[in-house]
Amino acid sequence: MDGQGHGAEGGEIALAFAARVAAAPDPALGRAVAGVVGHLHAMIAGMRLTPGALHAAIGFLTEVGHATDSRRQEWVLLADVLGVSTLVEDLSSTRPPGATPNTVAGPFYRADVPECPNGADISRDGRGEPVEVRGRIVDCAGRPVGGAMVEVWQANGDGVYENQEPDLQPEFNLRGRLRAAEDGTFGLRTVRPRGYPLPADGPVGQLLARLGCRLERPAHIHFRVTAPGFQRLTTHIFDRDDPAIGNDALFGVRPALLGEFRPQPAGGYLLEVGFVLAPEEAAGG
Ligand code: BEZ
Ligand code: FE
């Protein structure tokens, strides 16, 4: 006890809470909430949180809720910029060493993109610097994975996704869904993406600004690869030459995800990408 009657140092309230939910009708939920409360109390005691700071924290979380609606998920953005989304992804990953790392899909993914031929041009407005993407999909032993479904989505040369400005970009611009060949190869034509800042106009952006953190994402192309017998891969390939490459606000950059946009003699760029799929039996929860 700390002399204030509630054992603030010893976590007595947290223990009392755990006892209260010990017989919860959903035991897993009871254990999870008791675990969160235990860590929360320990953190609050460790930080010596004041009533004023608690009030400010509640105010911030209230604003995050108000900024969230069916078109904007400020809570997910908060989890992303705190590195929580990437940590959870890493902790739940059972990918063997050598498999391409999974990353968050993010809010700009669309599942309803029509299938296009392998080799298609996914730039539907023809704006931007042309890029040819050549890809290869293999398993952890280096054997080709034929017939995988490859989904791709990216921002344009101004750093804007098609669904952020539906009045300016054609529907499904810079999005594709195509089937890789039997030798695991695929190709597509697109334009060089530009990096973009995360939304700065909400409470999360304002918090990061007050913390002096940058909100930028280095230029990247998102890929999702689905093949029977393998874990679904959702990942990005980042432009290794983007000056923001060391400062991804979402902590998503890994050495295996760096790509080079190589200038071509006839103009435009070539980007070669390789994906190593993890077997399904290694899948975790
Ligand atoms: C994205 O890369 O598209 C993204 C991912 C998570 C949050 C915001 C954007
Ligand atoms: Fe993105």
Side-chain angles (χ1 to χ4, degrees):
M1 301 285 266
D2 66 349
Q4 295 176 32
H6 287 103
E9 300 294 346
E12 285 180 22
I13 303 174
L15 288 174
F17 180 86
R20 203 172 271 182
V21 299
D26 180 341
L29 179 65
R31 280 194 300 276
V33 176
V36 170
V37 168
H39 285 290
L40 194 59
H41 282 230
M43 180 192 75
I44 288 169
M47 292 176 74
R48 292 259 172 250
L49 199 76
T50 62
L54 176 62
H55 186 74
I58 289 173
F60 170 72
L61 296 175
T62 303
E63 281 180 46
V64 173
H66 285 158
T68 299
D69 59 24
S70 59
R71 293 191 314 165
R72 176 171 180 150
Q73 236 307 350
E74 196 79 358
W75 289 107
V76 173
L77 185 62
L78 181 60
D80 290 342
V81 301
L82 296 183
V84 169
S85 308
T86 296
L87 175 63
V88 168
E89 188 56 56
D90 288 352
L91 290 174
S92 62
S93 168
T94 54
R95 281 162 203 275
T100 303
N102 224 32
T103 61
V104 296
F108 302 120
Y109 171 73
R110 286 182 67 173
D112 56 349
V113 179
E115 191 169 332
C116 55
N118 189 355
D121 190 341
I122 62 167
S123 169
R124 294 171 198 254
D125 62 4
R127 285 185 57 228
E129 299 179 279
V131 174
E132 179 185 351
V133 177
R134 285 189 206 147
R136 187 155 181 268
I137 305 165
V138 296
D139 67 13
C140 287
R143 292 174 297 232
V145 175
M149 184 56 82
V150 179
E151 293 169 86
V152 54
W153 70 103
Q154 64 167 85
N156 66 10
D158 297 324
V160 188
Y161 285 84
E162 152 263 1
N163 51 346
Q164 288 179 294
E165 48 179 21
D167 299 337
L168 294 178
Q169 292 188 46
E171 171 116 296
F172 303 128
N173 193 33
L174 303 176
R175 295 175 186 275
R177 168 190 297 268
L178 56 92
R179 202 165 282 285
E182 282 311 309
D183 66 355
T185 61
F186 68 91
L188 58 94
R189 294 186 168 277
T190 184
V191 297
R192 190 169 183 166
R194 184 165 168 186
Y196 53 87
L198 296 177
D201 57 339
V204 172
Q206 285 154 13
L207 173 70
L208 289 208
R210 284 177 65 194
L211 293 171
C213 293
R214 301 220 284 260
L215 283 165
E216 60 198 345
R217 296 222 74 199
H220 57 270
I221 302 180
H222 295 262
F223 291 90
R224 175 168 277 183
V225 182
T226 312
F230 295 93
Q231 295 180 42
R232 187 176 73 187
L233 172 67
T234 306
T235 197
H236 305 42
I237 296 295
F238 292 92
D239 179 352
R240 65 167 208 184
D241 295 319
D242 189 315
I245 198 70
N247 276 315
D248 179 22
L250 302 184
F251 308 96
V253 177
R254 316 288 158 85
L257 303 182
L258 295 177
E260 182 184 5
F261 289 81
R262 293 212 310 268
Q264 296 301 288
Y269 298 89
L270 172 66
L271 173 68
E272 290 179 298
V273 300
F275 298 120
V276 182
L277 299 189
E280 202 161 52
E281 61 263 28

